[in-house]
Amino acid sequence: MSTLKEICNGLPLDPLPPNRGRDPNVPHAPVRTPNLTAEEERLALRNALRYFPPSHHAELAPEFAQELRQYGHIYMYRFCPTLRLRAYPIDQYPCRTRQAASIMLMIMNNLDPAVAQFPQELVTYGGNGQVFSNWAQFCLVMHYLSEMTEEQTLVMYSGHPMGLFPSLPSSPRAIITNGMVIPNYSSRETYEKMFALGVSMYGQMTAGSYCYIGPQGIVHGTMLTVLNAGRRYLGSDDLRGRVLVTSGLGGMSGAQAKAAVIAGCIGVIAEVDEAPLRKRHEQGWLMEVTSSLDQCIKRIREARSSKTPLSLGYHGNIVDLWERLLLEYERTGECLVDMGSDQTSLHNPFNGGYYPVQLSYQQANQLMSTDPNRFRTMVQESLQRHVKAINKLSDAGMFFWDYGNAFLLEAQRAGAEVEKIGGRPTEFRYPSYVQHIMGDIFSLGFGPFRWVCTSGNPQDLTVTDNIAATILEEISANVSDRIRQQYNDNIRWIREAGKHKMVVGSQARILYSDQKGRVSIALAINQAVADGKVSAPVVISRDHHDVSGTDSPFRETSNVYDGSAFCADMAVQNFVGDAFRGATWVALHNGGGVGWGEVTNGGFGLLLDGSEGAAKRATLMLNWDVSNGVARRCWSGNSNAYETIQRTMEEHRQLRVTMPFPVKDEHVLDRALQG
């Protein structure tokens, strides 16, 4: 068993570790089909061997060639550490600076088998959200971080550590880019080739920026979405006896079961892969499991009648579940579902993100590698059936929304009936949850602020939970009713969070807060570290899925209607601005959530070590991190953002934002264009 010290020594070359191959005891990523030419295979192999001295090439080349042909990518399984990867306490990493140790802790958490979806393929979530492209990169990164001083920055090119470069103590300790492809070449087909060649990588959002905190990271956002969907669609805060049907229990979507119960409703979640379903059940996130549609219908009726919160995992295809619910409606006239959505990984529809109803799970995995064109056709046929059942139940009174997983986008491409007559380019028959629910919340400045207690001590998490709750309660006493509703939801969440056993991996927490709340919580936690009330530094970050982190026309910016939804200035400015305002590390990605070529997103990590410097960095960076997005949303015409940025300028006299003048008389436009 290797040790932390040993995995920080760089690539083990003398001797080479034994090639143990893939571990049969953990889930593995689907086989990729990059369709490389003979010359491209040669290039992929040459690229992989760059990490090793020529004296090892004769031994490694056949092994890497076999991986490429068998799995569609060179993962370098031989170099996967035998040490259990997890978020070890920060003082256990052999480092020269705690900033570097904090990055190591977050990387290790992303690859923890309890957290990661496919740990040996370095996939954290989403089917293809990579931390690194191969295990050689992991070894080198850990070595560089162990050697790093506070006058160096680690430069990461799509999983590849370009090296340590001289910089200032105030500079980020790591700059990460993933998938930054020239726009004309940002197609799925080129991605598959580039990833197979080892030259680019899909970092999703928080996988490739080392900020994933397990499914808790989306439980809270999902709970807020369900609560606000109930308010909007059902006209009620009370969701007892209401039924939400959706799909996916993998990395991100695994949060749905827990969120449904916390929100008080009945969540029925379909999942074709037994491994994540069992994992969520064993972790206590999922209350019941069945592979029987009859049992599903029976339990829905019982829970509706008793108004008992329930999370029920259906081991089977979501299309079968929707069609059975439709059949029940046609037989009885009773619509058993109030709200519906989908969280399969449709950003990755033809390589394991979506399983067609016509095939078993095993058959699908085989066909996607042996006959990708046939598999693609079956996925599209399945999506047509999927949407047909949803449309009929929607006509019967169910409210459906797109959960930002490219479901409606891919359904449209498959020929399903999701068109919105007269709609804008980002609009479909059903709204995205950003357009109807979360977009206005983002425009108030609220988003998924999160922190990790690097001690690994649950007591530190309890202390920080109390700090956050107290601060939110203080701020909420002096805000408008609309903002108070968001504060109250988050106070309820943070006061209850510890009871729901949501920690998977690192001792982490998430809540949605606005600019004032984020800065206040960060400063209070930093002071608690300085005072010894929290025993070790705390890392703060956020999901990229936030007010200013992401430009995504079919999700985060789908409610931007001034024509700029397809522009990516905001995410790039966010990345650059966070870097020079004090972030410990920053990341900029192509892809994430809705797919390669569909989105640009930026993220950060910042270490709160109790110092005055950390307090200054947190204040400057977090204020910018939120205001950047609110200002952009204000300029695009969002009234919530207009009010929010006006109020922020009054509180921060150095902030000066260009405000839009509305066209109050539409006839002015008519006359001008007709004349």
Side-chain angles (χ1 to χ4, degrees):
M1 180 70 74
S2 52
T3 64
L4 274 175
K5 188 168 188 285
E6 286 169 349
I7 66 170
C8 293
N9 286 339
L11 278 166
L13 300 175
D14 187 21
L16 289 173
N19 182 19
R20 297 177 302 278
R22 302 214 304 184
D23 181 353
N25 298 312
V26 297
H28 290 283
V31 173
R32 297 180 178 275
T33 53
N35 297 319
L36 301 182
T37 65
E39 193 54 40
E40 286 168 338
E41 282 189 340
R42 190 178 185 86
L43 182 58
L45 193 54
R46 185 192 306 277
N47 288 347
L49 292 172
R50 287 184 291 188
Y51 289 100
F52 306 94
S55 57
H56 293 297
H57 288 184
E59 182 174 355
L60 295 176
E63 181 182 309
F64 291 169
Q66 182 184 0
E67 286 186 16
L68 181 63
R69 288 175 172 166
Q70 189 170 353
Y71 307 121
H73 187 73
I74 300 171
Y75 294 105
M76 306 184 188
Y77 291 112
R78 177 192 288 264
F79 297 95
C80 180
T82 54
L83 176 72
R84 161 69 191 271
L85 301 188
R86 65 177 181 85
Y88 292 92
I90 193 169
D91 58 5
Q92 294 186 21
Y93 299 93
C95 284
R96 297 181 178 182
T97 164
R98 276 189 156 180
Q99 292 185 63
S102 70
I103 301 172
M104 295 169 87
L105 182 151
M106 298 294 280
I107 288 171
M108 295 280 277
N109 188 63
N110 267 28
L111 292 170
D112 181 343
V115 174
Q117 186 179 12
F118 305 125
Q120 283 207 305
E121 287 75 45
L122 303 111
V123 172
T124 301
Y125 67 90
N128 60 350
Q130 306 281 149
V131 185
F132 303 111
S133 181
N134 58 57
W135 286 103
Q137 293 173 350
F138 169 84
C139 295
L140 287 173
V141 166
M142 296 300 279
H143 177 63
Y144 279 134
L145 289 170
S146 71
E147 295 287 310
M148 172 190 286
T149 71
E150 292 194 358
E151 293 186 336
Q152 290 174 304
T153 293
L154 175 62
V155 175
M156 297 294 303
Y157 278 34
S158 288
H160 169 67
M162 194 59 71
L164 291 173
F165 291 79
S167 63
L168 298 169
S170 59
S171 303
R173 299 279 71 84
I175 302 281
I176 305 160
T177 52
N178 285 307
M180 289 291 106
V181 172
I182 305 301
N184 273 357
Y185 305 93
S186 191
S187 68
R188 281 184 184 143
E189 291 71 23
T190 54
Y191 159 68
E192 291 294 345
K193 282 189 183 289
M194 288 176 180
F195 183 63
L197 291 173
V199 297
S200 196
M201 190 183 87
Y202 191 78
Q204 267 275 359
M205 289 188 159
T206 52
S209 64
Y210 322 147
C211 291
Y212 188 60
I213 60 167
Q216 178 191 176
I218 198 173
V219 170
H220 183 40
T222 306
M223 184 203 75
L224 289 179
T225 302
V226 173
L227 285 175
N228 284 290
R231 290 168 187 145
R232 175 160 190 146
Y233 301 134
L234 307 177
S236 177
D237 273 318
D238 184 359
L239 296 181
R240 289 175 299 172
R242 301 292 198 160
V243 179
L244 167 68
V245 171
T246 179
S247 60
L249 284 166
M252 296 292 279
S253 54
Q256 296 182 105
K258 178 73 80 173
V261 170
I262 296 172
C265 67
I266 300 150
V268 186
I269 305 98
E271 171 59 62
V272 293
D273 183 359
E274 189 173 12
L277 185 141
R278 294 293 171 195
K279 184 176 181 178
R280 297 295 170 231
H281 190 236
E282 289 164 7
Q283 289 172 340
W285 289 59
L286 191 62
M287 294 164 68
E288 297 179 19
V289 171
T290 182
S291 56
S292 164
L293 284 170
D294 287 342
Q295 178 68 7
C296 269
I297 300 302
K298 179 173 178 284
R299 291 298 291 124
I300 289 172
R301 284 203 161 99
E302 289 170 351
R304 283 182 88 209
S305 176
S306 63
K307 295 191 174 182
T308 306
L310 172 68
S311 55
L312 174 63
Y314 167 59
H315 182 208
N317 197 291
I318 181 61
V319 181
D320 285 326
L321 178 56
W322 280 123
E323 290 179 341
R324 177 58 185 273
L325 287 162
L326 176 60
L327 182 62
E328 291 295 318
Y329 171 69
E330 290 171 343
R331 282 176 178 167
T332 67
E334 182 184 22
C335 186
L336 294 175
V337 53
D338 300 284
M339 300 181 290
S341 193
D342 186 273
Q343 273 202 41
T344 49
S345 296
L346 268 155
H347 70 277
N348 181 33
F350 309 119
N351 201 31
Y354 181 90
Y355 284 80
V357 66
Q358 309 94 308
L359 301 171
S360 71
Y361 178 67
Q362 291 76 16
Q363 289 170 333
N365 277 329
Q366 184 175 6
L367 189 66
M368 75 176 72
S369 59
T370 59
D371 192 348
N373 290 332
R374 176 67 183 139
F375 183 77
R376 176 186 291 259
T377 299
M378 295 187 87
V379 164
Q380 293 179 329
E381 290 170 352
S382 182
L383 280 167
Q384 290 171 20
R385 279 177 58 180
H386 197 150
V387 168
K388 187 176 181 181
I390 287 168
N391 286 350
K392 289 184 177 179
L393 286 165
S394 174
D395 290 341
M398 176 194 71
F399 295 93
F400 186 88
W401 69 87
D402 182 286
Y403 217 129
N405 60 337
F407 174 73
L408 293 178
L409 183 62
E410 285 304 322
Q412 182 186 58
R413 289 167 177 168
E417 294 180 14
V418 295
E419 181 185 0
K420 180 178 181 178
I421 306 301
R424 298 179 176 98
T426 59
E427 292 182 308
F428 297 94
R429 176 172 179 157
Y430 303 105
S432 84
Y433 75 123
V434 170
Q435 287 167 335
H436 266 198
I437 302 166
M438 298 306 292
D440 278 347
I441 293 173
F442 286 158
S443 292
L444 291 171
F446 284 81
F449 180 67
R450 53 177 64 166
W451 62 91
V452 175
C453 297
T454 68
S455 64
N457 185 345
Q459 181 57 35
D460 280 348
L461 187 58
T462 300
V463 172
T464 56
D465 280 350
N466 288 332
I467 288 171
T470 301
I471 284 171
L472 295 184
E473 286 165 352
E474 290 171 356
I475 296 174
S476 70
N478 299 296
V479 295
S480 67
D481 289 344
R482 181 164 42 178
I483 295 173
R484 186 175 295 111
Q485 175 72 72
Q486 299 307 317
Y487 268 95
N488 288 344
D489 284 348
N490 283 280
I491 291 164
R492 168 183 166 185
W493 160 266
I494 202 71
R495 288 293 187 199
E496 295 283 322
K499 302 174 187 176
H500 288 284
K501 300 179 181 177
M502 282 177 295
V503 168
V504 177
S506 59
Q507 293 293 321
R509 188 67 74 220
I510 181 174
L511 58 78
Y512 270 55
S513 187
D514 59 358
Q515 183 170 325
K516 187 170 187 176
R518 296 187 211 201
V519 173
S520 300
I521 292 168
L523 292 179
I525 289 176
N526 190 62
Q527 189 60 48
V529 174
D531 296 341
K533 294 175 183 175
V534 174
S535 66
V538 172
V539 170
I540 60 170
S541 71
R542 56 160 168 73
D543 196 341
H544 304 204
H545 167 66
D546 195 7
V547 53
S548 77
T550 300
D551 285 299
S552 179
F554 295 102
R555 194 162 81 179
E556 283 79 2
T557 45
S558 61
N559 67 330
V560 168
Y561 299 126
D562 68 347
S564 70
F566 293 87
C567 299
D569 301 83
M570 180 175 72
V572 176
Q573 289 283 358
N574 179 268
F575 165 79
V576 176
D578 283 355
F580 67 71
R581 286 179 176 86
T584 306
W585 71 94
V586 289
L588 184 68
H589 301 177
N590 168 17
V594 295
W596 181 268
E598 305 283 3
V599 49
T600 302
N601 64 83
F604 76 85
L606 174 63
L607 185 69
L608 301 176
D609 60 6
S611 66
E612 287 186 20
K616 288 179 182 176
R617 288 191 292 272
T619 301
L620 196 60
M621 196 212 73
L622 289 173
N623 277 315
W624 152 257
D625 193 67
V626 178
S627 281
N628 169 43
V630 178
R632 186 266 176 102
R633 291 165 192 275
C634 165
W635 186 244
S636 76
N638 185 284
S639 59
N640 277 10
Y642 189 98
E643 294 169 17
T644 302
I645 206 69
Q646 270 194 323
R647 188 173 60 253
T648 308
M649 282 193 287
E650 291 167 6
E651 294 172 358
H652 299 269
R653 291 299 178 184
Q654 285 186 299
L655 178 66
R656 300 274 302 278
V657 172
T658 307
M659 303 294 280
F661 291 102
V663 173
K664 292 190 173 180
D665 182 0
E666 291 291 321
H667 296 302
V668 170
L669 305 182
D670 295 336
R671 287 193 295 270
L673 293 169
Q674 289 165 4

